[in-house]
Amino acid sequence: MKNRYVLFADLPLIAIAACGAFVARFDLAFYKSRPEFATYLLAALVTKPIVFLFFGMYRRYWRY
């Protein structure tokens, strides 16, 4: 993986996007009533970089 710095920038952005999605859907105090957020966040931080890697998002030069 030639562009690992993009991966390191993506991880906090994925976490912020997941938190923003829960805030938009369940209001700001979602962490009190939604215990599944931690599971969702962990799944997102593991799954999304693998999918991005599979589709070539972390190559230095994109094909298109």
Side-chain angles (χ1 to χ4, degrees):
M1 183 165 65
K2 297 177 184 175
N3 231 349
R4 66 181 151 266
Y5 299 114
V6 177
L7 169 67
F8 294 139
D10 274 347
L11 290 177
L13 292 174
I14 290 170
I16 290 169
C19 185
F22 266 71
V23 166
R25 174 64 177 95
F26 300 115
D27 209 12
L28 194 57
F30 69 89
Y31 54 87
K32 293 178 185 174
S33 62
R34 295 292 176 184
E36 66 270 6
F37 174 69
T39 306
Y40 175 74
L41 182 63
L42 181 64
L45 288 174
V46 170
T47 306
K48 287 184 180 191
I50 292 171
V51 170
F52 291 166
L53 182 66
F54 178 72
F55 283 106
M57 295 282 294
Y58 298 127
R59 291 188 199 134
R60 184 171 285 289
Y61 298 108
W62 291 355
R63 182 180 225 172
Y64 300 104

